[in-house]
Short mmCIF file of all heavy atoms in Angstrom, two decimals:
data_model
loop_
_atom_site.label_atom_id
_atom_site.label_comp_id
_atom_site.label_asym_id
_atom_site.label_seq_id
_atom_site.Cartn_x
_atom_site.Cartn_y
_atom_site.Cartn_z
N PHE A 93 -1.83 -20.08 4.18
CA PHE A 93 -2.57 -18.94 4.70
C PHE A 93 -3.22 -18.20 3.70
O PHE A 93 -2.63 -17.79 2.72
CB PHE A 93 -1.55 -18.06 5.42
CG PHE A 93 -2.18 -16.97 6.22
CD1 PHE A 93 -2.18 -16.94 7.64
CD2 PHE A 93 -2.72 -15.90 5.50
CE1 PHE A 93 -2.79 -15.99 8.29
CE2 PHE A 93 -3.32 -14.74 6.35
CZ PHE A 93 -3.38 -14.90 7.61
N SER A 94 -4.51 -18.08 3.78
CA SER A 94 -5.37 -17.30 2.90
C SER A 94 -6.02 -16.09 3.64
O SER A 94 -6.72 -16.40 4.68
CB SER A 94 -6.48 -18.23 2.35
OG SER A 94 -5.99 -19.32 1.64
N GLY A 95 -5.85 -14.89 3.06
CA GLY A 95 -6.34 -13.79 3.75
C GLY A 95 -7.83 -13.49 3.37
O GLY A 95 -8.54 -12.87 4.14
N ASN A 96 -8.20 -13.98 2.22
CA ASN A 96 -9.59 -13.85 1.72
C ASN A 96 -10.11 -12.42 1.70
O ASN A 96 -11.33 -12.14 1.83
CB ASN A 96 -10.57 -14.63 2.63
CG ASN A 96 -10.19 -16.19 2.45
OD1 ASN A 96 -9.96 -16.72 1.42
ND2 ASN A 96 -9.98 -16.85 3.64
N GLY A 97 -9.25 -11.44 1.55
CA GLY A 97 -9.68 -10.06 1.42
C GLY A 97 -9.96 -9.50 2.73
O GLY A 97 -10.45 -8.38 2.91
N GLY A 98 -9.81 -10.19 3.86
CA GLY A 98 -10.03 -9.67 5.14
C GLY A 98 -8.97 -8.90 5.85
O GLY A 98 -7.98 -8.64 5.21
N THR A 99 -9.12 -8.66 7.14
CA THR A 99 -8.16 -7.81 7.91
C THR A 99 -7.63 -8.57 9.10
O THR A 99 -8.44 -9.22 9.86
CB THR A 99 -8.76 -6.46 8.33
OG1 THR A 99 -9.14 -5.74 7.12
CG2 THR A 99 -7.80 -5.64 9.16
N LEU A 100 -6.29 -8.57 9.22
CA LEU A 100 -5.70 -9.19 10.41
C LEU A 100 -5.45 -8.05 11.40
O LEU A 100 -4.65 -7.15 11.09
CB LEU A 100 -4.41 -9.96 10.09
CG LEU A 100 -3.71 -10.88 11.12
CD1 LEU A 100 -4.75 -12.02 11.41
CD2 LEU A 100 -2.58 -11.51 10.57
N LEU A 113 5.86 -13.13 8.88
CA LEU A 113 4.96 -12.47 7.79
C LEU A 113 5.70 -12.31 6.51
O LEU A 113 4.91 -12.32 5.44
CB LEU A 113 4.62 -11.08 8.28
CG LEU A 113 3.80 -11.05 9.60
CD1 LEU A 113 3.28 -9.60 9.79
CD2 LEU A 113 2.53 -11.98 9.46
N GLU A 114 6.99 -12.65 6.47
CA GLU A 114 7.82 -12.63 5.16
C GLU A 114 7.38 -13.69 4.26
O GLU A 114 7.67 -13.70 3.05
CB GLU A 114 9.27 -12.57 5.45
CG GLU A 114 9.79 -13.84 6.07
CD GLU A 114 9.85 -13.80 7.65
OE1 GLU A 114 9.05 -12.91 8.18
OE2 GLU A 114 10.65 -14.51 8.33
N HIS A 115 6.80 -14.71 4.87
CA HIS A 115 6.17 -15.84 4.03
C HIS A 115 4.85 -15.60 3.32
O HIS A 115 4.28 -16.60 2.79
CB HIS A 115 6.34 -17.07 4.99
CG HIS A 115 7.55 -17.53 5.59
ND1 HIS A 115 8.82 -17.69 4.81
CD2 HIS A 115 7.88 -17.57 6.95
CE1 HIS A 115 9.74 -17.95 5.60
NE2 HIS A 115 9.32 -17.94 6.87
N LEU A 116 4.27 -14.55 3.66
CA LEU A 116 2.87 -14.28 3.32
C LEU A 116 2.89 -13.08 2.25
O LEU A 116 2.39 -11.93 2.54
CB LEU A 116 1.98 -13.87 4.48
CG LEU A 116 1.84 -14.85 5.68
CD1 LEU A 116 1.08 -14.37 6.74
CD2 LEU A 116 1.55 -16.29 5.10
N SER A 117 3.54 -13.27 1.15
CA SER A 117 3.80 -12.34 0.17
C SER A 117 2.90 -12.47 -1.16
O SER A 117 2.85 -11.55 -1.96
CB SER A 117 5.23 -12.17 -0.32
OG SER A 117 5.65 -13.40 -0.86
N ALA A 118 2.21 -13.44 -1.29
CA ALA A 118 1.23 -13.72 -2.34
C ALA A 118 0.03 -12.80 -2.28
O ALA A 118 -0.26 -12.27 -1.21
CB ALA A 118 0.86 -15.17 -2.46
N ALA A 119 -0.62 -12.66 -3.38
CA ALA A 119 -1.70 -11.75 -3.55
C ALA A 119 -2.90 -12.00 -2.44
O ALA A 119 -3.52 -11.02 -1.94
CB ALA A 119 -2.20 -11.73 -4.90
N ASP A 120 -3.16 -13.25 -2.14
CA ASP A 120 -4.26 -13.52 -1.29
C ASP A 120 -3.71 -14.02 0.02
O ASP A 120 -4.33 -15.12 0.50
CB ASP A 120 -5.34 -14.40 -1.97
CG ASP A 120 -6.48 -14.59 -1.00
OD1 ASP A 120 -6.91 -13.60 -0.47
OD2 ASP A 120 -7.16 -15.60 -1.06
N GLU A 121 -2.76 -13.44 0.62
CA GLU A 121 -2.32 -14.00 1.85
C GLU A 121 -2.48 -12.90 2.92
O GLU A 121 -3.71 -12.73 3.48
CB GLU A 121 -0.79 -14.36 1.67
CG GLU A 121 -0.67 -15.61 0.94
CD GLU A 121 0.68 -16.31 1.00
OE1 GLU A 121 1.74 -15.59 0.99
OE2 GLU A 121 0.70 -17.55 1.01
N LEU A 122 -1.56 -11.89 3.07
CA LEU A 122 -1.78 -10.96 4.17
C LEU A 122 -2.36 -9.66 3.36
O LEU A 122 -1.77 -8.76 2.83
CB LEU A 122 -0.39 -10.48 4.67
CG LEU A 122 -0.40 -9.45 5.89
CD1 LEU A 122 -1.32 -9.88 6.99
CD2 LEU A 122 0.99 -9.18 6.34
N ASN A 123 -3.79 -9.66 3.43
CA ASN A 123 -4.44 -8.68 2.64
C ASN A 123 -4.40 -7.34 3.24
O ASN A 123 -4.13 -6.16 2.69
CB ASN A 123 -5.91 -9.19 2.31
CG ASN A 123 -5.93 -10.31 1.41
OD1 ASN A 123 -6.63 -11.22 1.59
ND2 ASN A 123 -5.00 -10.30 0.51
N ASN A 124 -4.95 -7.34 4.59
CA ASN A 124 -5.04 -6.02 5.23
C ASN A 124 -4.52 -6.22 6.68
O ASN A 124 -4.80 -7.14 7.32
CB ASN A 124 -6.53 -5.48 5.23
CG ASN A 124 -7.02 -5.31 3.85
OD1 ASN A 124 -6.62 -4.41 3.15
ND2 ASN A 124 -7.97 -6.15 3.46
N LEU A 125 -3.79 -5.29 7.11
CA LEU A 125 -3.14 -5.25 8.59
C LEU A 125 -3.57 -3.96 9.31
O LEU A 125 -3.42 -2.91 8.77
CB LEU A 125 -1.67 -5.37 8.32
CG LEU A 125 -0.88 -5.40 9.75
CD1 LEU A 125 -1.15 -6.58 10.52
CD2 LEU A 125 0.65 -5.40 9.35
N THR A 126 -4.11 -4.30 10.50
CA THR A 126 -4.42 -3.13 11.39
C THR A 126 -3.71 -3.21 12.79
O THR A 126 -3.77 -4.46 13.35
CB THR A 126 -5.96 -3.11 11.61
OG1 THR A 126 -6.71 -2.77 10.29
CG2 THR A 126 -6.44 -2.03 12.64
N ASP A 141 11.06 -9.02 6.25
CA ASP A 141 10.46 -8.18 5.22
C ASP A 141 8.96 -8.66 4.95
O ASP A 141 8.75 -9.68 4.82
CB ASP A 141 11.26 -8.36 3.88
CG ASP A 141 12.77 -8.01 3.94
OD1 ASP A 141 12.99 -7.21 4.89
OD2 ASP A 141 13.52 -8.52 3.12
N THR A 142 8.16 -7.65 4.97
CA THR A 142 6.78 -7.86 4.94
C THR A 142 5.97 -7.16 3.83
O THR A 142 6.32 -5.99 3.45
CB THR A 142 6.07 -7.35 6.30
OG1 THR A 142 6.80 -8.11 7.40
CG2 THR A 142 4.67 -7.59 6.42
N THR A 143 5.10 -7.93 3.17
CA THR A 143 4.22 -7.31 2.10
C THR A 143 2.71 -7.51 2.56
O THR A 143 2.20 -8.53 2.82
CB THR A 143 4.47 -8.14 0.81
OG1 THR A 143 5.80 -8.05 0.38
CG2 THR A 143 3.49 -7.62 -0.29
N VAL A 144 2.05 -6.40 2.55
CA VAL A 144 0.56 -6.21 2.79
C VAL A 144 -0.01 -5.94 1.44
O VAL A 144 0.22 -4.82 0.92
CB VAL A 144 0.30 -5.17 3.75
CG1 VAL A 144 -1.25 -5.13 4.06
CG2 VAL A 144 1.02 -5.31 5.14
N THR A 145 -0.77 -6.81 0.92
CA THR A 145 -1.36 -6.66 -0.52
C THR A 145 -2.65 -5.82 -0.50
O THR A 145 -3.15 -5.60 -1.47
CB THR A 145 -1.65 -8.04 -1.04
OG1 THR A 145 -2.56 -8.79 -0.29
CG2 THR A 145 -0.34 -8.80 -1.15
N GLY A 146 -3.00 -5.30 0.63
CA GLY A 146 -4.20 -4.36 0.69
C GLY A 146 -3.76 -3.09 1.52
O GLY A 146 -2.72 -2.41 1.05
N ASN A 147 -4.45 -2.80 2.56
CA ASN A 147 -4.27 -1.67 3.29
C ASN A 147 -3.55 -1.84 4.69
O ASN A 147 -3.79 -2.90 5.35
CB ASN A 147 -5.54 -0.89 3.59
CG ASN A 147 -6.27 -0.52 2.22
OD1 ASN A 147 -5.63 -0.29 1.31
ND2 ASN A 147 -7.54 -0.68 2.29
N LEU A 148 -2.68 -0.87 5.15
CA LEU A 148 -2.23 -0.85 6.46
C LEU A 148 -2.83 0.32 7.25
O LEU A 148 -2.78 1.47 6.73
CB LEU A 148 -0.68 -0.63 6.39
CG LEU A 148 0.00 -0.31 7.75
CD1 LEU A 148 -0.09 -1.50 8.68
CD2 LEU A 148 1.47 -0.06 7.45
N THR A 149 -3.42 0.03 8.39
CA THR A 149 -4.09 0.95 9.21
C THR A 149 -3.48 0.90 10.61
O THR A 149 -3.35 -0.23 11.21
CB THR A 149 -5.63 0.77 9.27
OG1 THR A 149 -6.10 0.68 7.98
CG2 THR A 149 -6.21 1.73 10.10
N LEU A 166 9.21 -3.08 4.22
CA LEU A 166 7.76 -3.14 4.33
C LEU A 166 7.23 -2.55 2.98
O LEU A 166 7.55 -1.49 2.49
CB LEU A 166 7.25 -2.25 5.48
CG LEU A 166 5.73 -2.03 5.47
CD1 LEU A 166 5.09 -3.38 5.80
CD2 LEU A 166 5.41 -1.09 6.59
N THR A 167 6.36 -3.49 2.40
CA THR A 167 5.51 -3.01 1.14
C THR A 167 4.07 -3.04 1.45
O THR A 167 3.52 -4.09 1.91
CB THR A 167 5.94 -4.02 0.08
OG1 THR A 167 7.33 -3.87 -0.30
CG2 THR A 167 5.18 -3.59 -1.21
N VAL A 168 3.43 -2.04 1.11
CA VAL A 168 1.86 -1.95 1.31
C VAL A 168 1.36 -1.55 -0.11
O VAL A 168 1.69 -0.42 -0.50
CB VAL A 168 1.49 -0.96 2.32
CG1 VAL A 168 -0.01 -0.99 2.56
CG2 VAL A 168 2.08 -1.31 3.62
N THR A 169 0.64 -2.45 -0.79
CA THR A 169 0.18 -1.93 -2.16
C THR A 169 -1.02 -1.07 -2.08
O THR A 169 -1.19 -0.41 -3.07
CB THR A 169 -0.20 -3.29 -2.93
OG1 THR A 169 -1.31 -3.93 -2.28
CG2 THR A 169 1.03 -4.28 -3.03
N GLY A 170 -1.79 -1.06 -1.08
CA GLY A 170 -2.96 -0.13 -0.95
C GLY A 170 -2.54 1.10 -0.08
O GLY A 170 -1.49 1.73 -0.08
N LYS A 171 -3.58 1.52 0.60
CA LYS A 171 -3.47 2.68 1.48
C LYS A 171 -2.84 2.45 2.84
O LYS A 171 -2.98 1.44 3.46
CB LYS A 171 -4.91 3.31 1.75
CG LYS A 171 -5.70 3.63 0.53
CD LYS A 171 -7.04 4.22 0.87
CE LYS A 171 -7.92 3.31 1.48
NZ LYS A 171 -9.32 3.74 1.75
N THR A 172 -1.91 3.48 3.24
CA THR A 172 -1.48 3.37 4.51
C THR A 172 -2.06 4.58 5.28
O THR A 172 -1.77 5.68 4.87
CB THR A 172 0.14 3.47 4.62
OG1 THR A 172 0.63 2.33 4.04
CG2 THR A 172 0.73 3.66 5.98
N ASN A 187 7.67 0.85 0.99
CA ASN A 187 6.88 1.20 -0.21
C ASN A 187 5.41 1.13 0.17
O ASN A 187 4.97 0.10 0.74
CB ASN A 187 7.23 0.31 -1.29
CG ASN A 187 8.48 0.72 -2.10
OD1 ASN A 187 8.46 1.37 -3.07
ND2 ASN A 187 9.61 0.07 -1.71
N VAL A 188 4.70 2.31 -0.27
CA VAL A 188 3.16 2.26 0.15
C VAL A 188 2.44 2.69 -1.25
O VAL A 188 3.09 3.23 -2.05
CB VAL A 188 2.86 3.08 1.29
CG1 VAL A 188 3.61 2.64 2.56
CG2 VAL A 188 3.10 4.51 1.00
N GLY A 189 1.17 2.40 -1.18
CA GLY A 189 0.33 2.93 -2.20
C GLY A 189 0.05 4.40 -1.99
O GLY A 189 0.83 5.31 -2.57
N SER A 190 -0.78 4.79 -1.22
CA SER A 190 -0.98 6.21 -0.71
C SER A 190 -0.65 6.19 0.70
O SER A 190 -0.67 5.18 1.47
CB SER A 190 -2.35 6.66 -1.10
OG SER A 190 -3.28 5.98 -0.29
N LYS A 213 1.18 5.62 -5.41
CA LYS A 213 -0.28 5.78 -5.83
C LYS A 213 -0.91 7.05 -5.21
O LYS A 213 -0.31 7.61 -4.39
CB LYS A 213 -1.12 4.41 -5.72
CG LYS A 213 -0.54 3.25 -6.32
CD LYS A 213 -1.30 2.00 -6.22
CE LYS A 213 -0.72 0.69 -6.75
NZ LYS A 213 -0.61 0.85 -8.18
N ASN A 242 -4.97 5.21 -9.01
CA ASN A 242 -5.49 5.20 -7.72
C ASN A 242 -5.19 3.88 -7.05
O ASN A 242 -4.95 2.79 -7.66
CB ASN A 242 -7.04 5.48 -7.76
CG ASN A 242 -7.28 6.93 -8.07
OD1 ASN A 242 -6.52 7.83 -7.57
ND2 ASN A 242 -8.32 7.14 -8.72
N THR A 243 -5.40 3.82 -5.74
CA THR A 243 -5.29 2.54 -5.01
C THR A 243 -6.40 1.61 -5.44
O THR A 243 -6.24 0.38 -5.09
CB THR A 243 -5.22 2.75 -3.56
OG1 THR A 243 -6.46 3.48 -3.19
CG2 THR A 243 -4.08 3.47 -3.02
N ASP A 244 -7.44 2.06 -6.03
CA ASP A 244 -8.57 1.18 -6.52
C ASP A 244 -8.26 0.61 -7.88
O ASP A 244 -9.11 -0.03 -8.55
CB ASP A 244 -9.87 1.85 -6.41
CG ASP A 244 -9.99 3.01 -7.29
OD1 ASP A 244 -9.08 3.35 -8.09
OD2 ASP A 244 -11.04 3.80 -7.19
N GLY A 245 -7.12 1.05 -8.50
CA GLY A 245 -6.77 0.49 -9.88
C GLY A 245 -7.06 1.49 -10.92
O GLY A 245 -6.73 1.13 -12.05
#
Side-chain angles (χ1 to χ4, degrees):
F93 185 102
S94 299
N96 298 312
T99 299
L100 197 58
L113 297 187
E114 65 270 24
H115 303 303
L116 305 180
S117 59
D120 190 32
E121 291 190 322
L122 184 56
N123 294 138
N124 301 290
L125 176 63
T126 294
D141 297 339
T142 299
T143 297
V144 180
T145 60
N147 302 324
L148 170 63
T149 304
L166 171 63
T167 298
V168 182
T169 61
K171 299 181 291 183
T172 293
N187 276 274
V188 301
S190 64
K213 301 179 184 296
N242 284 327
T243 52
D244 63 6

